[in-house]
Amino acid sequence: MADSLLKNKHLLWRAGFGIGINQIDDLKNKNIKTLMNELFKEDSFSEVTYDTPDIDSTMDYMNSTAPAEKKKEMQRINREQNNELNLNFLDKIVNSKEQMREKMAFFWHGHFASRVVNPKFNQQLLNTIRKNALGNFKELLFEVSQSPAMLNFLNNQQNKKDHPNENFAREVMELFTMGRGNYTEKDVREGARAFTGWSYDKEGNFKERKNQHDEGTKTFLGKTGNFDGSDALHIILEQKATAQFITTKIYKFFVNENIDHDIVNKLSSNFYSSGYDIKKLMTEIFSSSWFYDQKNIGNRIKSPVELMAGMMRVLPMQIQNPENLIVYQKLLGQMLLYPPNVSGWPNGKSWIDSSTLMLRLQIPQIWSGLRPLEYSPRQDDDIDMGMKSKENALNKSFKNPNITIDWDRLDKTFAHKNCEDYLIQNAQSLDMNTVNNFSDKSLKMNIINLMSTPEYQLM
């Protein structure tokens, strides 16, 4: 296999969600610069939306004064809208030509993790992340920090003078910007005072409630003054620890979980000097020769969304019941819009256990209609986003997932090509004798068997 194809595959998986069916024919002939221009292609930004009629989703339907039927109706509307947001985001991930924007949005979605029921707030935060995914980290941080989803999730509407709530200030420093060890407990207390009064109105617009803000002098990260929330964020961004923390996390996600400290230090310094230019940082990473070193290729386990999206990009398919994809996310342990906690999703070997590995290996056969799904979503209100009421119907539809794959198109696309060169990230590690040890030698079975190997789980 040509070295250029190996590098191109590596770039398409790390800077996007794998090889699209339309990219296969001329992928060998493209150089990295051309491919990067396509990945960073600037199209007009389109928001992720939901189509379900909105009946004032800002209403607190758990309010004890609301009628029971009204609460039930709001739960239904919120569930349907969150499901639509999930599927629309997945559709952008799979089909957008701006793969780099969506991959960065996927990264930020896990970095700025939040879990709220209100679909309007989820939609706003998701579009904020997607809009700023390759922009400036300062602008992204400010917009996320002032979003109703994050203020709600981290309880800052309860952060008032004389009664500060430290949750928001702590997580902003620990998880979103600086990381542990770069601030003190006093910084958390003083930061919380600075963020007092940051809230939102019932329409979801950011609002500073002056009467709830602590006007006293604060000493925060070595500076003293009558700081508000904006001042606190500016001071955080002045810390080189912030650039180091963000760069390290990006390196671990896009390059290798084993850090090369010399490279990360240089990237971090350049990121800080650029004023937190995300696109410039990512361009430097993907343009560097070390990114294509053998040790950085095929060393990452695909997350559930990356696994599903990669299959959907290369297999031309029609999905009659797209809502099933939400439950596949749940079964595999990664539901868009629903990270496990404020730390986001774990990575690496945490994606693999005895049940999820078997399902991951069987999905190509299930989606091809060769075997039924023998797993069912567990009833867990904490992570099912209200889907329990539909569980029986969904389980029945899994027996026939209603996915139609255009195998004729794949036959034409892969004519005179080795499928493993395009489907397996590091094909040299694959034992083709195992793949070929089946009576059915058709291209369809070759693709299904390749996607059912442990090697396909890596990128």
Side-chain angles (χ1 to χ4, degrees):
M1 179 177 53
D3 185 57
S4 61
L5 178 57
L6 180 63
K7 291 181 178 180
N8 288 348
K9 285 193 302 181
H10 182 54
L11 179 61
L12 287 175
W13 267 111
R14 296 303 177 87
F17 292 89
I19 301 173
I21 185 68
N22 295 322
Q23 296 175 300
I24 291 175
D25 282 338
D26 63 345
L27 188 58
K28 283 185 177 180
N29 303 320
K30 291 190 175 180
N31 58 41
I32 293 298
K33 184 176 181 180
T34 300
L35 210 51
M36 283 183 60
N37 288 337
E38 294 176 2
L39 287 164
F40 284 84
K41 179 179 172 60
E42 292 286 347
D43 287 338
S44 57
F45 174 70
S46 59
E47 294 189 340
V48 169
T49 61
Y50 47 77
D51 299 321
T52 307
D54 187 0
I55 56 169
D56 188 16
S57 62
T58 60
M59 167 188 166
D60 181 4
Y61 63 83
M62 296 307 292
N63 189 306
S64 59
T65 63
E69 287 303 310
K70 184 69 171 178
K71 293 180 184 178
K72 188 174 181 180
E73 176 69 0
M74 282 305 306
Q75 287 175 324
R76 182 188 68 80
I77 292 289
N78 286 341
R79 178 180 64 245
E80 290 182 3
Q81 291 182 345
N82 280 321
N83 287 349
E84 287 188 38
L85 278 177
N86 177 302
L87 292 174
N88 288 349
F89 186 22
L90 182 60
D91 180 71
K92 296 284 188 186
I93 283 171
V94 172
N95 296 311
S96 174
K97 293 181 180 179
E98 290 186 271
Q99 281 286 288
M100 188 61 224
R101 179 202 290 275
E102 301 306 331
K103 190 59 172 279
M104 282 305 304
F106 179 64
F107 169 79
W108 295 124
H109 180 54
H111 179 77
F112 291 112
S114 75
R115 284 177 23 171
V116 296
V117 173
N118 190 311
K120 183 178 289 185
F121 293 176
N122 282 328
Q123 180 185 24
Q124 184 184 55
L125 178 57
L126 180 56
N127 286 322
T128 291
I129 287 171
R130 291 182 59 252
K131 180 185 68 174
N132 295 288
L134 283 167
N136 185 278
F137 179 73
K138 172 185 173 181
E139 296 174 10
L140 175 61
L141 176 64
F142 267 79
E143 290 194 37
V144 168
S145 298
Q146 294 180 350
S147 69
M150 195 59 71
L151 291 168
N152 176 283
F153 184 50
L154 298 181
N155 311 117
N156 207 72
Q157 75 274 27
Q158 301 165 15
N159 187 16
K160 305 172 184 179
K161 66 179 180 181
D162 301 325
H163 295 90
N165 184 302
E166 297 176 2
N167 195 28
F168 183 83
R170 181 183 301 279
E171 305 302 3
V172 165
M173 288 190 287
E174 178 181 333
L175 297 175
F176 299 164
T177 57
M178 300 169 63
R180 290 183 180 179
N182 293 301
Y183 58 88
T184 66
E185 284 301 307
K186 182 179 179 182
D187 290 323
V188 174
R189 292 192 295 271
E190 297 289 90
R193 292 177 59 209
F195 287 116
T196 51
W198 271 32
S199 189
Y200 53 88
D201 61 26
K202 65 180 182 179
E203 283 78 34
N205 300 309
F206 173 69
K207 186 173 183 179
E208 291 186 84
R209 304 186 186 278
K210 299 293 186 182
N211 62 330
Q212 296 176 359
H213 177 63
D214 185 337
E215 296 285 355
T217 299
K218 301 110 182 161
T219 299
F220 178 66
L221 294 173
K223 291 196 170 186
T224 301
N226 179 16
F227 302 136
D228 60 15
S230 294
D231 297 322
L233 291 181
H234 279 295
I235 294 171
I236 288 172
L237 289 164
E238 290 172 2
Q239 314 301 310
K240 291 187 176 181
T242 297
Q244 184 78 19
F245 179 77
I246 297 300
T247 303
T248 300
K249 192 167 183 179
I250 285 176
Y251 184 93
K252 292 175 73 174
F253 185 87
F254 287 94
V255 183
N256 198 317
E257 291 189 8
N258 296 317
I259 299 297
D260 185 317
H261 293 284
D262 290 339
I263 290 175
V264 170
N265 288 341
K266 181 181 177 181
L267 291 171
S268 172
S269 177
N270 292 342
F271 188 42
Y272 186 82
S273 298
S274 74
Y276 293 98
D277 187 323
I278 301 169
K279 184 175 181 178
K280 189 172 183 180
L281 171 62
M282 303 314 297
T283 301
E284 182 177 359
I285 290 174
F286 297 135
S287 300
S288 299
S289 59
W290 49 257
F291 176 73
Y292 302 93
D293 287 348
Q294 188 64 40
K295 66 179 180 180
N296 295 325
I297 297 177
N299 66 4
R300 277 199 60 215
I301 297 173
K302 297 170 185 173
S303 75
V305 169
E306 289 169 329
L307 178 68
M308 291 172 60
M311 291 178 61
M312 294 166 71
R313 279 181 58 73
V314 77
L315 299 178
M317 61 177 66
Q318 294 292 326
I319 305 173
Q320 295 183 24
N321 300 109
E323 65 273 11
N324 287 355
L325 297 174
I326 296 174
V327 188
Y328 275 100
Q329 293 173 43
K330 180 180 178 181
L331 287 169
L332 293 170
Q334 187 177 40
M335 288 179 65
L336 294 172
L337 303 182
Y338 225 68
N341 50 56
V342 71
S343 298
W345 290 282
N347 284 306
K349 294 181 179 178
S350 61
W351 292 126
I352 302 295
D353 59 33
S354 57
S355 62
T356 57
L357 177 58
M358 288 306 299
L359 177 57
R360 289 169 71 111
L361 295 175
Q362 291 174 7
I363 283 179
Q365 301 165 52
I366 296 169
W367 284 9
S368 301
L370 299 183
R371 67 181 303 157
L373 179 71
E374 297 170 347
Y375 304 82
S376 61
R378 60 190 174 93
Q379 292 192 356
D380 187 346
D381 268 340
D382 185 46
I383 62 171
D384 67 10
M385 298 177 74
M387 292 193 308
K388 193 193 314 186
S389 62
K390 290 188 174 183
E391 189 167 351
N392 290 336
L394 285 170
N395 284 345
K396 285 182 180 179
S397 70
F398 284 160
K399 303 303 179 184
N400 180 5
N402 289 319
I403 293 175
T404 303
I405 297 174
D406 187 347
W407 294 108
D408 288 339
R409 183 179 176 189
L410 285 162
D411 270 323
K412 295 175 183 177
T413 301
F414 282 105
H416 312 298
K417 296 182 180 71
N418 294 321
C419 296
E420 63 271 19
D421 288 348
Y422 296 86
L423 298 181
I424 303 299
Q425 184 58 35
N426 198 348
Q428 292 91 333
S429 64
L430 184 67
D431 182 2
M432 284 303 296
N433 290 327
T434 302
V435 177
N436 293 329
N437 192 26
F438 295 92
S439 58
D440 189 338
K441 305 292 186 181
S442 66
L443 179 131
K444 172 181 177 178
M445 288 310 303
N446 191 28
I447 290 176
I448 292 172
N449 292 334
L450 284 168
M451 287 185 165
S452 302
T453 61
E455 286 80 5
Y456 186 74
Q457 306 295 315
L458 301 174
M459 67 176 183

